[in-house]
């Protein structure tokens, strides 16, 4: 993504811990892109919320959310604030092998003691996207040998 940026463009990535951030920084430097990429360390919901002011809000063209799924609504709200009108927000890993759409199967998993918060969070994100008049979204399914998943393509109106 950073290679496709226009002159003066920047990419900001959020990494939860120093170890992952260190690997990211090494790879970014090896690719010769350290001047275009900023690595922010810490919980993304806090780091995103700290991005305030005219230099940040409504200035980004694109956001890619691929993080702790149960926080996706928070990430979406923050990205909506940061992404300008006409910009795009992508949210990855949102179909979860169809479980987000299959309430009966989710209930059976929950009854069996399985973790389902990530599935419920996917439904919460869908409800948020449906209710927000400033966002228009569609789901793009993906499939491979591990199963099927997908991502949301969200247009910031």
């Amino acid at each position: 993504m950073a290679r496709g940026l226009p002159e003066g463009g920047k990419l900001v990535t959020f990494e939860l811990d120093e170890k992952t951030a260190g690997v990211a920084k090494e790879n970014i430097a090896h690719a010769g892109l350290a001047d275009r990429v900023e690595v922010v360390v810490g919980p993304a919901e806090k780091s995103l919320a700290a991005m305030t002011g005219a230099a940040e809000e409504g200035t980004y063209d694109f956001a890619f959310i691929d993080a702790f799924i149960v926080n996706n609504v928070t990430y979406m709200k923050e990205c909506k604030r940061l992404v300008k009108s006409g910009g795009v927000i992508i949210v990855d890993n949102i179909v979860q092998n169809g479980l987000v759409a299959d309430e009966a199967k989710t209930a059976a998993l929950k009854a069996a003691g399985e973790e389902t918060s990530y599935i419920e969070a996917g439904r919460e994100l869908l409800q948020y996207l449906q209710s927000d008049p400033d966002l228009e979204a569609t789901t793009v399914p993906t499939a491979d040998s591990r199963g099927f998943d997908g991502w949301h393509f969200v247009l910031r109106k």
Side-chain angles (χ1 to χ4, degrees), residues 24-84:
K25 287 176 184 178
E26 285 178 24
N27 288 327
I28 291 162
H30 181 73
L33 299 167
D35 62 325
R36 296 184 217 173
V37 180
E38 175 186 357
V39 179
V40 178
V41 182
E45 62 274 19
K46 291 179 181 177
S47 300
L48 285 165
M51 297 174 73
T52 60
E56 300 287 350
E57 295 183 21
T59 64
Y60 289 85
D61 297 305
F62 179 79
F64 184 86
I65 301 170
D66 184 14
F68 190 48
I69 294 170
V70 297
N71 291 333
N72 275 350
V73 172
T74 299
Y75 302 143
M76 178 58 65
K77 288 177 180 178
E78 292 296 339
C79 288
K80 176 188 168 189
R81 181 179 56 79
L82 296 167
V83 171
K84 65 177 131 184

Side-chain angles (χ1 to χ4, degrees), residues 73 103 120-132:
V73 172
E103 292 183 18
E120 293 157 10
R123 290 189 190 120
E124 288 173 26
L125 179 60
L126 281 171
Q127 290 169 351
Y128 174 76
L129 292 171
Q130 289 172 340
S131 69
D132 191 316

